[in-house]
């Protein structure tokens, strides 16, 4: 029962035909406050849902505020871990929600954030293990956001540490792993090849141009990536819906960057 349940829920957060996905995280409020783009969470959710995104990521307290009761459906991933930028240890994540609580909120999946290399790595990995076990018991997909961050990490985008992060994610029991893009098709292929589960890329800081975003998306897919989990570069975009549609042409239809730019009217 839990196996078929997980398969059904995976299809709510990933395209069943391609095995790829566009996820828009909107969990930034805990980390950095009510930033532009997600101050009105219901409007933000409506925009990305109608544009065709597969899923959103929210903290538990925003699920009700973001639920629209109409329009296009969208997968719900409830984020279980948190920290704030005001903390002296902003990379040390702690659990703030349980798998069972997420299920009661209507979640199709759950997500956890782990920073390997942080001084509290031990606690975060322990939490990861417990969440993975609970998610498997309930047949709930688990998205793991794993980043190399700490005193021993000189470059968190270096392929050697990013592929280590992805491997940690799959070996700990995640169904999808989210990591940073390493900058080239060749290096990111190493990351994908080292994982046994789909690998998607983070958007990172706000990027300077649409071409930069779409070239990153295209290169990650060419390397074998399974899509994106991009927040600020989507919901703070001048036209979030068009950017999602442009990314979708690449992720689901293998379009070129120029074809995707045409969707934005910038070819």
């Amino acid at each position: 029962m839990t196996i078929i349940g997980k398969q059904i829920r995976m299809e709510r957060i990933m395209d069943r035909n391609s095995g790829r996905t566009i996820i828009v995280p909107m969990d930034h409020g805990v980390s950095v406050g009510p930033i532009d783009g997600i101050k009105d969470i219901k409007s933000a959710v409506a925009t990305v849902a109608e544009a065709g995104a597969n899923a959103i990521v929210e903290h538990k307290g925003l699920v009700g505020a973001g639920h629209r009761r109409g329009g296009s459906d969208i997968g719900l991933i409830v984020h279980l871990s948190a920290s704030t930028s005001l903390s002296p240890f902003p990379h040390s994540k702690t659990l703030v929600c349980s798998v069972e609580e997420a299920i009661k909120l209507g979640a199709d999946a759950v997500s956890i954030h782990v920073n390997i290399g942080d001084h509290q790595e031990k606690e975060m990995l322990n939490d990861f293990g417990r969440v993975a076990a609970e998610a498997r018991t309930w047949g709930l997909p688990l998205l793991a956001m794993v980043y190399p961050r700490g005193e021993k990490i000189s470059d968190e985008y270096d392929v050697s540490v990013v592929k280590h992060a992805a491997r940690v994610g799959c070996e700990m029991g995640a169904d999808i792993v989210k990591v940073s893009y390493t900058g080239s098709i060749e290096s990111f292929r190493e990351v994908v090849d080292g994982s046994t589960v789909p690998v998607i890329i983070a958007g990172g800081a706000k990027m300077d141009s649409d071409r930069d975003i779409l070239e990153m998306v295209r290169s990650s897919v060419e390397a074998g990536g399974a899509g994106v989990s991009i927040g600020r570069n989507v919901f703070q975009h001048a036209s979030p819906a068009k950017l999602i549609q442009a990314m979708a042409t690449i992720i689901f239809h293998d379009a070129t960057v120029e074809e995707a730019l045409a969707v934005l009217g910038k070819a």
Side-chain angles (χ1 to χ4, degrees):
M1 285 173 54
T2 56
I3 293 174
I4 187 62
K6 179 174 283 190
Q7 289 175 346
I8 290 170
R9 293 182 184 100
M10 283 289 285
E11 291 177 8
R12 293 177 184 160
I13 63 170
M14 299 189 81
D15 178 70
R16 63 174 58 175
N17 297 313
S18 65
R20 295 176 181 174
T21 189
I22 296 175
I23 297 171
V24 182
M26 298 183 176
D27 58 310
H28 302 64
V30 171
S31 300
V32 293
I35 58 177
D36 289 343
I38 54 171
K39 289 178 181 177
D40 181 351
I41 195 68
K42 185 168 289 188
S43 176
V45 172
T47 297
V48 302
E50 297 300 331
N54 298 88
I56 55 170
V57 178
E58 290 180 319
H59 278 290
K60 59 184 180 181
L62 284 190
V63 173
H67 184 54
R68 297 169 299 130
R69 302 179 184 274
S72 299
D73 198 9
I74 191 165
L76 172 63
I77 304 172
V78 173
H79 199 41
L80 306 185
S81 53
S83 68
T84 78
S85 59
L86 303 178
S87 168
F89 308 108
H91 297 317
S92 298
K93 302 294 179 177
T94 188
L95 288 183
V96 294
C97 185
S98 69
V99 171
E100 187 171 352
E101 188 176 5
I103 291 170
K104 292 177 181 178
L105 287 166
D108 299 303
V110 291
S111 60
I112 188 169
H113 183 152
V114 174
N115 291 314
I116 59 172
D118 183 81
H119 74 289
Q120 289 192 350
E121 177 191 90
K122 177 181 176 181
E123 289 81 1
M124 285 184 276
L125 288 178
N126 182 62
D127 289 342
F128 192 171
R130 289 193 294 111
V131 165
E134 292 171 10
R136 181 168 297 180
T137 296
W138 287 101
L140 207 64
L142 172 59
L143 164 64
M145 309 173 184
V146 189
Y147 303 108
R149 292 171 177 168
E151 292 181 2
K152 294 174 67 176
I153 311 299
S154 58
D155 179 4
E156 65 180 81
Y157 298 97
D158 184 83
V159 62
S160 64
V161 291
V162 175
K163 69 180 180 181
H164 189 172
R167 187 67 180 213
V168 167
C170 68
E171 293 215 15
M172 290 291 293
D175 299 290
I176 309 169
V177 176
K178 172 181 174 179
V179 296
S180 298
Y181 182 60
T182 51
S184 70
I185 296 172
E186 294 74 18
S187 64
F188 198 66
R189 187 173 287 122
E190 290 186 48
V191 178
V192 174
D193 289 346
S195 174
T196 59
V197 300
V199 178
I200 61 177
I201 59 167
K206 190 77 166 59
M207 298 179 76
D208 294 330
S209 73
D210 294 333
R211 180 177 289 277
D212 288 344
I213 297 169
L214 295 174
E215 285 181 348
M216 178 178 70
V217 173
R218 177 66 204 176
S219 296
S220 72
V221 169
E222 284 189 42
V228 301
S229 176
I230 295 179
R232 281 168 292 191
N233 282 296
V234 169
F235 61 69
Q236 291 184 340
H237 191 270
S239 179
K242 283 189 176 182
L243 181 58
I244 288 173
Q245 291 161 2
M247 292 192 298
T249 64
I250 294 172
I251 293 168
F252 304 125
H253 304 290
D254 291 316
T256 65
V257 171
E258 295 303 325
E259 290 169 333
L261 283 168
V263 175
L264 286 166
K266 297 185 177 182

